[in-house]
Amino acid sequence: MSTKGYTVGTYIIKSEKKNSELPMCPICKKCKDRSICKNRKDKKEMSKCDKCKNCKDAEKCDKFYINEQHKATLTIGKDIETGEAIRKTFTAKTQEEALDKMYKYKLEMKKSGKTIELKRTEKTIAILAQEIEDSKYRMGKTKANAYNTNMSTLARIKKHKFANIPIEKVTRKQIEDFLQEERIKLNSTIKKDYRMLKYVYEYANYTLYLVKNLFEGIDRIEKPKSLKKDKDVVALTITEQNQLEDYLESPSSNYKNIILLCLYTGMRIGEVLALNYNEDIDLDNKIIKVTKTLTKDRNKNTIIGPTKSEKRNIEINELTEDIIIDSLNNKIENKNKVLFCQANKKLYVDNTINSAFKRICKNAGITKPVNTHMLRHTFATRCIEAGVDLPVLQKLMGHANIETTINTYGDIYNYYKQKETQKVIDYLKRERA
């Protein structure tokens, strides 16, 4: 049925049966021409056969599940490049449901006040995401390490069918199903995948590839929460820290000063390994300038880039002064002018220090799983134990906003706050006894 601006109709949909105990259907049994379907071995070709394509006998079909589906097709605008009409199809189990979907869409578009003019495209989510990330990298908006991270995100998304079909054919349900499947992953992974999809849809909507951005408006697709609990911040206890420090004193380790600088300053391992002995160490004013970190280029080679944190100055104090002086006295001259480098004068790789740190902790009698980032968490934990307020801790850690500090260390801070409060309660109880 055709009316002004839209059409409604019914069509047959067929989905393949994996197993069937039915005998060969009567139509196929009587068919003399098997050239199209290769004697029913090619099910895609079977759908091209007029007799098979138009068959509605679901009870006798041994190859397909056969259902009727209703659709309403709405003319929503025109292709601004070709002038051809652009149509959107709404499917449902009944004609009334299909029309209801169509009318809701028309109402939504009317409220938005949008003139529906689009560009036809065969570009997929995967293609658009690649274009966006390449452009951000060329423009300098994304550094190499972030680009590599985004490529890993894209690789995850590309494994799914919806990412490799034209974006205008991707359904809301496909996106929502994907995000629900993602809930078995960490929140950090979900955040990356959701952010990339959201950016692609914003771009596609802006460039007139799509009428509606599924990630905006009151009915927008929301980022789901992981079923996994976020990883707890793991730090060395004060006893374990003492064990580590004692071991580093004797026998002396090649990595002693690197590890202790992380432990006493809260710097990331990459920031310590990127310290420039000419530019970043100011003994006269007793400060360490944290502006750089080790990162990766697009070819995964280790390079020096800007720090992930806010640029900051760290005080050289009685804990760190001897470490800095000893490191300067024993530095190896190298083209990168880093305070710490390999014997061959090349930059360290994070993994090298991480592996060495694990061996050192094992030899020091620390039995729990460890990694070098724990040194940063250990510094923060000691600060909280000592009574350092969160705004001060934020500055020490180089967090751009205090929410990051609260999200990372809030639970530890609250624990020690409660312990201190309990001291007051215990004191009042003793006085009243």
Side-chain angles (χ1 to χ4, degrees):
M1 179 176 72
S2 177
T3 187
K4 187 177 180 181
Y6 71 89
T7 60
V8 291
T10 302
Y11 64 102
I12 299 167
I13 57 170
K14 294 185 176 185
S15 55
E16 182 183 339
K17 286 182 179 178
K18 297 299 181 185
N19 296 299
S20 175
E21 295 180 357
L22 292 173
M24 188 183 296
C25 82
I27 289 179
C28 285
K29 198 168 186 178
K30 292 176 184 177
C31 181
K32 303 293 184 183
D33 182 9
R34 304 289 178 85
S35 60
I36 295 176
C37 65
K38 306 288 190 298
N39 199 23
R40 307 198 324 151
K41 290 178 182 178
D42 191 334
K43 293 187 176 69
K44 287 184 179 179
E45 292 298 317
M46 286 178 73
S47 65
K48 296 179 181 179
C49 169
D50 289 339
K51 292 180 180 178
C52 186
K53 179 171 64 177
N54 297 319
C55 178
K56 298 182 180 180
D57 195 346
E59 293 183 2
K60 293 180 180 177
C61 184
D62 63 321
K63 291 290 184 182
F64 302 102
Y65 295 106
I66 301 175
N67 297 290
E68 282 190 346
Q69 192 167 61
H70 299 271
K71 69 177 179 180
T73 303
L74 174 69
T75 300
I76 61 172
K78 65 177 181 178
D79 187 317
I80 59 176
E81 294 178 339
T82 66
E84 294 179 1
I86 296 173
R87 298 178 177 85
K88 186 173 179 65
T89 299
F90 306 85
T91 60
K93 293 180 180 178
T94 67
Q95 192 175 103
E96 289 74 19
E97 288 177 2
L99 285 169
D100 185 53
K101 286 183 180 181
M102 184 195 74
Y103 286 131
K104 283 181 179 177
Y105 183 85
K106 283 184 72 175
L107 180 62
E108 185 181 321
M109 296 313 301
K110 186 176 180 180
K111 285 180 179 178
S112 72
K114 288 184 179 179
T115 301
I116 305 175
E117 292 186 323
L118 299 177
K119 299 175 185 175
R120 284 290 185 196
T121 184
E122 291 296 312
K123 291 185 177 181
T124 65
I125 288 173
I127 291 171
L128 290 170
Q130 186 72 58
E131 288 180 359
I132 291 167
E133 296 306 327
D134 287 345
S135 174
K136 284 162 60 180
Y137 182 78
R138 285 195 305 271
M139 298 290 289
K141 295 179 180 178
T142 303
K143 302 301 180 185
N145 207 37
Y147 178 85
N148 290 335
T149 299
N150 294 341
M151 287 300 98
S152 296
T153 300
L154 179 55
R156 279 195 301 274
I157 294 173
K158 282 170 68 173
K159 292 178 182 177
H160 297 265
K161 181 180 177 181
F162 75 88
N164 300 290
I165 61 176
I167 190 170
E168 65 178 22
K169 295 182 180 179
V170 177
T171 66
R172 181 189 185 95
K173 185 176 184 304
Q174 286 175 309
I175 301 288
E176 290 178 332
D177 286 349
F178 164 72
L179 290 172
Q180 281 302 309
E181 290 174 12
E182 291 281 276
R183 295 187 68 198
I184 62 172
K185 299 175 181 175
L186 293 172
N187 277 316
S188 57
T189 302
I190 296 172
K191 181 180 178 180
K192 292 186 184 80
D193 294 353
Y194 178 86
R195 183 173 57 197
M196 178 166 283
L197 288 172
K198 184 173 182 288
Y199 202 177
V200 166
Y201 270 79
E202 287 173 354
Y203 175 77
N205 184 231
Y206 175 77
T207 51
L208 300 178
Y209 290 144
L210 291 174
V211 173
K212 179 172 173 55
N213 177 5
L214 299 177
F215 290 83
E216 70 175 5
I218 195 168
D219 63 338
R220 63 184 176 273
I221 295 176
E222 300 282 0
K223 177 169 67 69
K225 187 170 178 60
S226 173
L227 297 172
K228 289 185 175 182
K229 183 182 176 183
D230 285 337
K231 287 183 178 179
D232 293 329
V233 171
V234 180
L236 297 176
T237 65
I238 189 63
T239 300
E240 290 167 336
Q241 180 172 335
N242 290 335
Q243 287 175 251
L244 174 62
E245 290 172 343
D246 290 343
Y247 178 81
L248 289 173
E249 287 301 322
S250 179
S252 181
S253 167
N254 292 335
Y255 306 104
K256 171 185 173 181
N257 288 346
I258 296 172
I259 292 170
L260 290 178
L261 265 185
C262 290
L263 189 62
Y264 294 152
T265 66
M267 294 168 65
R268 293 181 177 88
I269 185 65
E271 292 172 335
V272 170
L273 297 176
L275 285 174
N276 184 301
Y277 49 72
N278 286 339
E279 299 174 357
D280 301 330
I281 309 297
D282 185 348
L283 283 174
D284 293 334
N285 294 301
K286 293 188 178 297
I287 55 172
I288 302 169
K289 300 173 185 177
V290 184
T291 62
K292 300 180 282 294
T293 189
L294 293 193
T295 185
K296 303 282 187 183
D297 63 17
R298 289 180 69 174
N299 297 317
K300 308 293 179 71
N301 297 316
T302 300
I303 59 170
I304 296 174
T307 179
K308 300 174 186 175
S309 294
E310 290 283 291
K311 294 180 180 179
R312 61 201 188 278
N313 291 338
I314 293 176
E315 179 188 354
I316 296 175
N317 53 36
E318 57 189 284
L319 285 175
T320 55
E321 187 169 15
D322 288 345
I323 297 169
I324 292 293
I325 292 172
D326 184 61
S327 300
L328 287 169
N329 289 337
N330 292 283
K331 72 179 184 297
I332 299 172
E333 296 286 344
N334 60 91
K335 67 176 183 179
N336 292 297
K337 293 182 171 48
V338 289
L339 186 59
F340 303 106
C341 68
Q342 300 182 62
N344 62 7
K345 302 185 179 184
K346 291 184 178 180
L347 295 171
Y348 272 117
V349 179
D350 288 358
N351 291 342
T352 301
I353 310 297
N354 198 45
S355 298
F357 180 63
K358 290 181 179 182
R359 290 194 301 272
I360 289 168
C361 286
K362 183 178 179 181
N363 293 337
I366 299 169
T367 56
K368 68 184 179 187
V370 296
N371 58 70
T372 51
H373 200 65
M374 284 174 62
L375 295 167
R376 180 170 163 85
H377 291 326
T378 300
F379 170 79
T381 302
R382 295 294 95 81
C383 288
I384 294 168
E385 290 171 354
V388 173
D389 289 333
L390 280 174
V392 177
L393 183 62
Q394 174 199 345
K395 297 299 182 185
L396 291 172
M397 303 306 287
H399 292 155
N401 53 67
I402 199 164
E403 286 77 15
T404 303
T405 315
I406 292 169
N407 291 339
T408 307
Y409 300 110
D411 289 344
I412 301 172
Y413 181 77
N414 289 334
Y415 169 73
Y416 284 101
K417 185 178 176 183
Q418 288 163 8
K419 280 187 69 176
E420 294 303 308
T421 305
Q422 189 62 42
K423 289 179 182 178
V424 178
I425 296 169
D426 293 342
Y427 168 74
L428 292 173
K429 284 180 178 179
R430 286 196 302 272
E431 289 300 307
R432 293 182 64 181

